[in-house]
Each structure stands twice: as structure tokens, then as C-alpha cells.
Amino acid sequence: MSKHLRILLLMLGMLTSLCVYAESTPPLATDKSSYPEQVALAGQTYILESARRACILRKPDQSVLTLDIPSPCHFSVGKDGQAHVEIFQNVPIVMVLHVAPVADSKPECRSQYKAIRLMKGQLEPSVLAQSASCLRGVGDQKSYTAMFDW
């Protein structure tokens, strides 16, 4: 598959997934404690933290993965209120989001997000994606998988 076609498919998948995010019902949280900040992948706990106003992911061995996303950030929220883990080809994938309101009086936001997969014991973050919407909810599988080469 050519690089141009992959980019086109990635953009199409991201645009399609925005509709699913826009239709989700969870409200934009204003209290940081209402967002999931930890997730279990392959029996290990990973925790989102803030370091110098940027998000990092603390691994079970206490090392960190820098995400290049501003803080605060959180995992996408499943229907159970916990971090959603999408499984594709037996690979767990999570989505880390930073959602910032544009103005206090409008329901308008700017969002940045990355998918992170745990493949063969190694964490791999995707490219940074951005949206002019208040991303909430789980989204669909394409939003988790499209940003990786499989």
C-alpha cells in the first residue's frame, strides 16, 4: 500500500470516527477525578501523570513514556466509566485524550489524542491527532487502529 493511500485512509478513518465521538453522550467533565487515569494492559497497571504541563504514561517498572500531549489528559471512557481498551488482532490499544474548552460559554473544544498499543510487550504510541470537537466516549475501532501500520 502506498504512503499516499495510507494517509488518505487514516484521514478518512479519523473523520468517520469523529461522528461516533460527537454522538456519544458522556458530558465533558470539569472535574479531573471523573476521568480514568489508569488502565490495566496484559495484567499490568499503567498510570497517566502530568510532568511540566505535559502528559506522561508511567509504566509498571516506573519508567515513563512521553506522550507529547498537554495535561490534563485521560483515557477514553468506556460505558463502565473505566478506561476503554480496544483489542485488535490480540493487541490491546488505549486512547489518551486532552480536551480543552475554547470558551467557558460555548460547548466548543479542541482535542488532541494518541492511540497507544501494547505489542510484543512494548508500548507504541501513534502519531498525534487533533480535532475541533469535544471528544467523548469510546469512539470506534478505526480510531484506535488506523494510526498504526499492521
Side-chain angles (χ1 to χ4, degrees):
M1 184 182 304
S2 74
K3 184 176 179 179
H4 179 68
L5 181 58
R6 271 195 306 235
I7 292 171
L8 183 60
L9 289 172
L10 171 64
M11 290 173 44
L12 179 62
M14 288 172 42
L15 288 173
T16 303
S17 68
L18 289 177
C19 293
V20 174
Y21 276 114
E23 293 173 5
S24 62
T25 56
L28 180 62
T30 55
D31 179 9
K32 188 177 182 228
S33 65
S34 63
Y35 291 129
E37 295 179 348
Q38 67 178 20
V39 66
L41 300 174
Q44 303 267 350
T45 301
Y46 296 83
I47 302 170
L48 288 172
E49 297 177 0
S50 179
R52 296 184 201 122
R53 298 169 26 147
C55 286
I56 59 171
L57 184 64
R58 180 143 329 257
K59 301 176 193 178
D61 66 2
Q62 299 307 307
S63 64
V64 297
L65 174 65
T66 303
L67 299 176
D68 299 322
I69 297 175
S71 65
C73 64
H74 63 279
F75 291 109
S76 60
V77 183
K79 292 180 181 180
D80 60 359
Q82 302 298 311
H84 176 73
V85 178
E86 187 70 34
I87 305 295
F88 180 74
Q89 297 182 359
N90 293 320
V91 175
I93 310 166
V94 295
M95 188 73 67
V96 177
L97 304 111
H98 167 77
V99 181
V102 173
D104 292 335
S105 61
K106 295 181 185 177
E108 186 179 342
C109 301
R110 298 295 181 262
S111 301
Q112 297 179 36
Y113 55 101
K114 279 189 179 189
I116 302 171
R117 67 181 175 183
L118 181 63
M119 196 159 156
K120 298 178 183 175
Q122 299 294 316
L123 288 178
E124 180 184 351
S126 71
V127 297
L128 179 66
Q130 298 184 40
S131 172
S133 65
C134 302
L135 298 180
R136 295 175 275 209
V138 172
D140 65 2
Q141 191 176 58
K142 288 184 294 299
S143 59
Y144 291 76
T145 60
M147 295 190 276
F148 297 104
D149 283 332
W150 293 91

